Amino acid sequence: MKRPLGVSLISYFYLFGAVVLLFTAVFYNADADSTGIAERFGLPNVPERLMRVLVALISLLMVYGYIRLKKWGFWLMIIYSVLFGLISSLLVSNQSQQPFIGNLIWSIIVLTYTIYIKRAFFKTDFQH
């Protein structure tokens, strides 16, 4: 089965995001962002650089499994989309600015699309 175009596009988007996170972890400026990733996860005592590296590494692992159409890649993307969708929805309701609504919409789109094409991840090729 050929990889769906949406899987490739989503994977490249998350790959780009992981690279940006790794880059910003190296050149992190604590004064530049009032709400860091660690704080968004409810972990204000975790160093922001460490949190960015961890999220980037998890993203890279997820992208590898997702673009290769692995079952575990499907489940990681589902979990990741739900988790970040929930965090974004909480931030939309708690922040005076609304930059997180785009993240919420993106999470819903990725979740919906991934569920829609789940057959690509759960194909059974019996080769005897």
Side-chain angles (χ1 to χ4, degrees):
M1 175 178 241
K2 187 177 175 187
R3 179 185 326 129
L5 177 62
V7 168
S8 296
L9 293 174
I10 290 167
S11 296
Y12 295 143
F13 180 82
Y14 280 113
L15 181 62
F16 175 75
V19 169
V20 169
L21 273 176
L22 288 173
F23 181 79
T24 60
V26 173
F27 299 104
Y28 178 67
N29 179 1
D31 299 326
D33 192 7
S34 61
T35 307
I37 294 173
E39 190 175 328
R40 291 176 195 166
F41 275 102
L43 304 168
N45 296 328
V46 175
E48 184 63 21
R49 284 187 172 151
L50 174 63
M51 194 66 178
R52 286 174 187 258
V53 169
L54 288 175
V55 171
L57 292 176
I58 291 168
S59 294
L60 289 172
L61 177 69
M62 175 186 68
V63 165
Y64 178 80
Y66 192 72
I67 203 163
R68 300 268 186 242
L69 301 176
K70 303 291 186 185
K71 291 176 188 176
W72 58 266
F74 169 85
W75 289 114
L76 275 179
M77 184 62 77
I78 295 292
I79 292 166
Y80 193 92
S81 296
V82 168
L83 180 63
F84 277 91
L86 287 173
I87 290 169
S88 296
S89 67
L90 291 173
L91 290 172
V92 164
S93 62
N94 294 338
Q95 299 289 325
S96 59
Q97 299 175 346
Q98 297 298 321
F100 303 107
I101 196 149
N103 294 342
L104 175 61
I105 292 168
W106 175 252
S107 293
I108 292 169
I109 290 169
V110 170
L111 183 63
T112 303
Y113 178 77
T114 300
I115 291 170
Y116 177 74
I117 55 122
K118 70 180 176 184
R119 278 185 292 148
F121 294 91
F122 292 93
K123 62 186 179 299
T124 53
D125 294 333
F126 296 108
Q127 298 175 352
H128 296 283

